[in-house]
Amino acid sequence: TSIVNLGHPMVKGAGWFNSKSQTAEAERIMRRTPFAINPHILKMLISNKHLLSAEDQLLEPLALVASRKEQFFYPISFDYRGRMYYRGGMLNPQGSDLNKALHMFSDKAPIGKQGRAAICLALADAMGIKSAKSQIVTEVLDLDLEALAAGTMLEEKKGTLSGFVAAGLAQELLELDAWETLGNTRESFMSGIVCHQDATCSGLQIAAAITGHRDTAIATNCTASDKTEVRQDVYGDVAAICA
């Protein structure tokens, strides 16, 4: 499904949406990105099924079917703003915490020099750790990664069990450590783990850039920072004001 098929209001004839546009290229990349099921998270899903919401319980048969394939792909569709979404029904890499954790990239690649730090930052985000960037890696590696990976720290939020993304990332760090223990170089560790990122309210970031309003830019992490600074959370600021 393409933005043209959906009758996007901005598409008029050949219009801006053509084979050379950045939007078309992004769609191609998303459609051609192969996924696989994370076997560690699939085992956690099966063992914790009785604790899951009715919706998440439905993921088990879908994930089991998908796990029989070395790789699978998703069609893409757009909303009226041009945002792109994976269309997989209940099983979806943009879905719940469990949904996200179940997905890995099937095309693994060496993590390089910054890979471990990227996984640590993703784990910190998944756990709500908001320390300075220079401290996050140390704090994450001081956690009980085995307990996290085993799912002993799963918690219920709004009637939904969460912590699967954190479990997957913790397991990846444990496997990286085992890889290095065998005498291999960290940079050569092959990983397909997904490190989710969020722009932290991109609408406010765009507004800050257009208006030059520095306080808003700072609150949405649009300004230059160093490793001693803590990442800002504009949603937390608003919540504190409301409280």
Side-chain angles (χ1 to χ4, degrees):
T1 304
S2 75
I3 197 168
V4 178
N5 298 139
L6 293 175
H8 192 287
M10 292 182 67
V11 177
K12 298 178 181 178
W16 64 274
F17 187 84
N18 56 62
S19 60
K20 296 181 180 180
S21 73
Q22 288 182 318
T23 305
E25 180 60 22
E27 183 193 15
R28 278 193 292 269
I29 291 171
M30 288 177 71
R31 280 192 285 109
R32 295 173 181 175
T33 299
F35 288 96
I37 293 296
N38 186 323
H40 177 70
I41 301 300
L42 180 57
K43 291 179 182 177
M44 288 183 62
L45 161 58
I46 295 171
S47 61
N48 291 281
K49 183 179 177 181
H50 61 291
L51 300 174
L52 298 175
S53 66
E55 183 175 339
D56 276 347
Q57 285 183 22
L58 294 175
L59 292 176
E60 182 187 17
L62 300 173
L64 283 170
V65 171
S67 68
R68 297 172 192 153
K69 300 178 179 293
E70 290 186 7
Q71 61 181 31
F72 54 90
F73 301 80
Y74 284 98
I76 305 298
S77 68
F78 295 73
D79 66 10
Y80 70 96
R81 295 167 294 186
R83 287 188 175 185
M84 285 173 272
Y85 299 91
Y86 288 112
R87 293 304 182 194
M90 295 291 298
L91 191 65
N92 190 317
Q94 293 173 316
S96 64
D97 173 78
L98 175 56
N99 247 313
K100 290 177 180 177
L102 279 168
H103 288 81
M104 297 183 70
F105 297 122
S106 70
D107 290 343
K108 293 186 176 183
I111 63 172
K113 293 182 179 180
Q114 302 300 323
R116 186 179 73 158
I119 297 172
C120 288
L121 286 170
L123 180 52
D125 278 345
M127 297 190 63
I129 297 174
K130 301 185 183 299
S131 302
K133 286 182 281 187
S134 60
Q135 301 172 3
I136 283 180
V137 172
T138 301
E139 286 191 29
V140 167
L141 295 178
D142 283 341
L143 296 171
D144 189 343
L145 295 177
E146 291 188 2
L148 268 175
T152 57
M153 301 179 74
L154 292 175
E155 59 179 330
E156 189 171 341
K157 293 181 178 179
K158 298 180 180 179
T160 302
L161 204 61
S162 65
F164 289 99
V165 167
L169 292 163
Q171 179 65 25
E172 197 74 358
L173 289 173
L174 290 174
E175 292 181 10
L176 170 57
D177 184 60
W179 173 260
E180 290 188 86
T181 301
L182 293 174
N184 302 299
T185 61
R186 178 184 303 168
E187 292 81 2
S188 63
F189 179 71
M190 301 290 287
S191 178
I193 200 72
V194 179
C195 293
H196 294 276
Q197 299 181 2
D198 194 306
T200 310
C201 196
S202 57
L204 287 179
Q205 290 178 326
I206 293 169
I210 292 173
T211 63
H213 194 271
R214 185 167 181 81
D215 287 345
T216 304
I218 293 172
T220 53
N221 301 291
C222 278
T223 55
S225 63
D226 57 47
K227 291 185 177 180
T228 63
E229 293 185 35
V230 177
R231 282 178 294 168
Q232 300 299 308
D233 177 14
V234 70
Y235 297 119
D237 295 341
V238 173
I241 293 169
C242 291

